[in-house]
Amino acid sequence: MERLDPHPVTGQPFASPVPPGSGWPGDPATATTRVARSPGGVRRLAVGSPDLATLQARISVCRACPRLVRWREDVARTGRRASFAGEPYWGRPGPSFGDPEAHTLLVGLAPAANGTNRTGRMFTGDSSGDFLWAALHRTGFAAIGTSTAAGDGQALTGLRIVAAVRCAPPDNKPTPAERATCSHWLQRDLRLGEPHLRSILCLGAIGWDGALAAATALGWAVPSPRPRFGHRAEVSLVTGGGRTVRLVGCYHVSPHNTFTGRLTPAMLDDVLRSLREG
Ligand code: SF4
């Protein structure tokens, strides 16, 4: 018999992975949301998404990368960390989270197996997220300083979080082909968010490269040669609609950087404040 576990906020029992439209807080999909099953399907459904709500729903049920689908669902069913053994796991791609009219788009690498892949929200339920959400709250973007589970009251103003790859990859390493396939979702996120966009904040080199590749594919003006990632690296892009958008690099909020002091709370606050003001 299928095992059901209680959601940490609502107490409602869910299967892992969570079926679309079953009542998970913030689930953008329904049982009839169209599912991409190939790179071509991602391209078609992304371009054909008329608005952000449709786009996030389609992202959240995507099955185009067989290796990643297998991994995310294996973790959700059997590979759970002992400390979360009694919780349901989202086990699906992470849709974007935040303000649909954001002036800043934050681009991360990919969901963590026991973070977004468990909670269904970007950077939620792991130590990377703890570091990031505290900074987002200190700098006025986030309603509260923690993000532990969908439905916990967290909200963002002026900022929306996406990722270069939307499924948790083994060893945090998506393949080039998986990055290329998922880029179609990111391109559409950029395109639909463009009317409000002032800045793109990239956490780490994969987020930076992913944002540049998506902007190039959309025909935006990108500096040549292609600029390299660095902490506080910054270049200007010009969108198809003629908007100038800042592309800003920041070290990733992974424990590898935050536990070693390579990225400190003050450094992240500085970057975020510059985006609020600029
Ligand atoms: Fe779909 Fe992206 Fe996940 Fe691949 S990584 S299955 S394209 S959401």
Side-chain angles (χ1 to χ4, degrees), residues 66-213:
R67 185 184 80 113
L68 299 186
V69 172
R70 208 165 39 244
W71 171 255
R72 78 190 192 208
E73 295 189 349
D74 280 354
V75 171
R77 287 198 187 93
T78 60
R80 308 178 199 188
R81 198 168 272 172
S83 42
F84 307 124
E87 289 186 30
Y89 267 51
W90 174 249
R92 288 166 41 197
S96 79
F97 179 76
D99 186 344
E101 298 189 352
H103 57 73
T104 296
L105 199 65
L106 186 156
V107 184
L109 192 174
N114 293 284
T116 299
N117 194 53
R118 174 172 58 90
T119 62
R121 185 196 287 162
M122 291 291 181
F123 286 104
T124 294
D126 57 23
S127 55
S128 300
D130 293 345
F131 192 90
L132 176 64
W133 288 98
L136 288 170
H137 182 56
R138 284 193 300 271
T139 52
F141 286 106
I144 55 179
T146 58
S147 183
T148 54
D152 61 2
Q154 183 59 274
L156 285 166
T157 305
L159 186 139
R160 189 163 63 89
I161 304 178
V162 300
V165 172
R166 308 299 175 102
C167 290
D171 299 323
N172 286 325
K173 284 192 186 132
T175 66
E178 290 160 352
R179 288 164 62 177
T181 300
C182 210
S183 174
H184 295 289
W185 294 130
L186 180 58
Q187 288 169 38
R188 194 64 182 161
D189 253 323
L190 284 176
R191 180 70 192 84
L192 291 172
E194 180 192 338
H196 308 281
L197 203 58
R198 288 199 316 242
S199 310
I200 303 172
L201 172 62
C202 305
L203 296 187
I206 289 184
W208 175 270
D209 291 343
L212 277 173

Side-chain angles (χ1 to χ4, degrees), residues 34-50 54-66 68-69 72 93 163-167 177-189:
R34 294 182 67 187
V35 179
R37 299 181 188 276
S38 66
V42 173
R43 194 167 52 243
R44 279 191 300 280
L45 290 183
V47 170
S49 294
T54 306
L55 180 67
Q56 303 318 316
R58 291 176 175 179
I59 290 171
S60 80
V61 297
C62 179
R63 304 185 69 80
C65 304
L68 299 186
V69 172
R72 78 190 192 208
V165 172
R166 308 299 175 102
C167 290
E178 290 160 352
R179 288 164 62 177
T181 300
C182 210
S183 174
H184 295 289
W185 294 130
L186 180 58
Q187 288 169 38
R188 194 64 182 161
D189 253 323

